[in-house]
């Protein structure tokens, strides 16, 4: 919120060659400020989980100017709109959601995140903003991507390769001398969301009963199976 701290962060991102990642609320207002600062003093900036068309328009303009800026979306902001469920940033309008999907198609939105925020039922009743969507993230994204003619390869790029490249991490590809961090999916699976079946202790997800396509069957970290959907977590 403090512009002086943001200036110092952007300068440091140049001096020490790192990416400054921001959670901007109020979203469009702060993104406008940060884009103006980026144009003025330079730096490396990533905007986390954008949700509004106006924000996307600012990023389009910034990229057209050659500024070093990237951005991401979340599963819930492209899956649903105008929901009375507290997340931060909030669920937006249908035109905002459509703009995000078109931004993915156009290659303006660089990557897919989750903004996973597990809360207890008691915390949610007290007004805690957040959603447990980590277990459903792939299926939510894949469902929206397929409905809008966006390839599985594009989703893989936005979930793995693009974030790794942006952060300078040797990951995100099936390639010799890369860590065997792998996800096995069944793109033909169809089923309904049931938060009661989540592995997480937190069940705060408003999409129970929604039909999705695509299921994560297994995950591997450095060649070791860490999760198996056909059995218990390992």
């Amino acid at each position: 919120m403090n512009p002086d701290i943001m200036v110092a962060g952007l300068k440091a991102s140049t001096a020490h060659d790192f990416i400054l990642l921001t959670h901007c609320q109020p979203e469009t207002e702060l993104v406008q400020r940060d884009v103006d600062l980026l144009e003025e003093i330079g730096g490396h900036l990533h905007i986390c989980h954008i949700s509004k068309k106006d924000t996307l328009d600012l990023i389009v303009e910034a990229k057209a100017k050659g500024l070093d800026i990237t951005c991401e979306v979340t599963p819930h902001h492209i899956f649903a709109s105008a929901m009375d469920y507290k997340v931060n940033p909030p669920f937006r309008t249908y035109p905002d959601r459509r703009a995000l999907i078109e931004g993915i198609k156009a290659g303006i939105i660089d990557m897919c995140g989750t903004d996973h925020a597990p809360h207890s039922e008691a915390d949610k009743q007290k007004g805690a903003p957040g959603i447990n969507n980590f277990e459903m993230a792939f299926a939510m994204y894949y469902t929206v991507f397929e409905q809008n003619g966006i390839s599985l390869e594009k989703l893989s790029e936005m979930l793995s390769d693009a974030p790794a490249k942006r952060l300078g991490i040797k990951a995100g590809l099936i390639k010799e001398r890369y860590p065997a961090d792998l996800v096995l999916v069944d793109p033909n699976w169809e089923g309904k969301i049931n938060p009661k079946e989540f592995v997480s202790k937190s069940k705060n997800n408003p999409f129970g009963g929604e039909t999705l396509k695509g299921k994560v069957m297994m995950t591997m970290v450095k060649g070791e199976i860490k999760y198996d959907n056909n059995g218990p977590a390992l």
Side-chain angles (χ1 to χ4, degrees):
M1 297 297 293
N2 186 319
D4 293 335
I5 293 176
M6 190 64 191
V7 167
L10 287 172
K11 288 181 177 179
S13 75
T14 298
H16 301 287
D17 193 25
F18 65 81
I19 312 299
L20 187 63
L21 294 86
T22 61
H23 174 117
C24 295
Q25 296 295 319
E27 183 181 305
T28 304
E29 177 183 324
L30 279 185
V31 171
Q32 178 69 75
R33 181 204 69 180
D34 294 347
V35 166
D36 290 343
L37 291 175
L38 188 66
E39 185 173 12
E40 178 183 347
I41 63 177
H44 311 298
L45 181 62
H46 175 79
I47 310 296
C48 297
H49 39 69
I50 68 169
S51 63
K52 298 176 69 176
K53 180 183 182 300
D54 290 346
T55 306
L56 185 63
D57 290 342
L58 290 175
I59 292 169
V60 170
E61 294 175 6
K63 288 189 172 189
K65 293 177 180 178
L67 303 182
D68 187 9
I69 185 170
T70 51
C71 65
E72 73 187 45
V73 288
T74 71
H76 49 286
H77 285 118
I78 67 168
F79 186 79
S81 51
M83 287 189 67
D84 185 20
Y85 188 84
K86 193 169 184 180
V87 290
N88 192 12
F91 283 98
R92 304 298 187 180
T93 66
Y94 177 78
D96 285 317
R97 180 162 71 91
R98 288 305 317 172
L100 296 181
I101 293 170
E102 293 305 314
I104 292 171
K105 285 185 173 182
I108 300 160
I109 296 172
D110 304 275
M111 52 197 87
C112 294
T114 63
D115 199 24
H116 175 66
H119 293 293
S120 68
E121 185 175 349
D123 285 343
K124 286 300 292 182
Q125 289 177 349
K126 292 176 184 176
I131 182 172
N132 180 329
N133 62 11
F134 186 75
E135 291 172 62
M136 294 290 102
F138 171 78
M140 289 173 71
Y141 275 130
Y142 183 63
T143 299
V144 174
F145 273 48
E146 187 180 62
Q147 290 171 347
N148 290 275
I150 311 171
S151 70
L152 177 58
E153 288 78 12
K154 180 64 174 176
L155 177 55
S156 175
E157 175 192 337
M158 293 181 70
L159 279 169
S160 54
D161 186 36
K165 284 181 177 177
R166 182 59 167 155
L167 297 175
I169 299 170
K170 188 177 180 180
L173 294 173
I174 301 175
K175 189 175 180 181
E176 185 177 0
R177 298 190 182 280
Y178 272 59
D181 297 338
L182 306 173
V183 181
L184 178 67
V185 302
D186 179 357
N188 297 315
W189 178 91
E190 290 190 24
K192 295 183 182 297
I193 297 176
N194 184 357
K196 293 180 180 179
E197 295 179 351
F198 286 0
V199 174
S200 172
K201 292 179 181 179
S202 169
K203 316 297 180 186
N204 58 303
N205 185 298
F207 298 119
E210 292 281 351
T211 299
L212 299 180
K213 187 170 184 181
K215 186 176 186 178
V216 174
M217 304 304 295
M218 183 181 292
T219 60
M220 298 177 68
V221 178
K222 296 181 179 178
E224 183 178 343
I225 296 173
K226 293 295 185 179
Y227 173 74
D228 186 343
N229 213 329
N230 287 317
L234 301 179

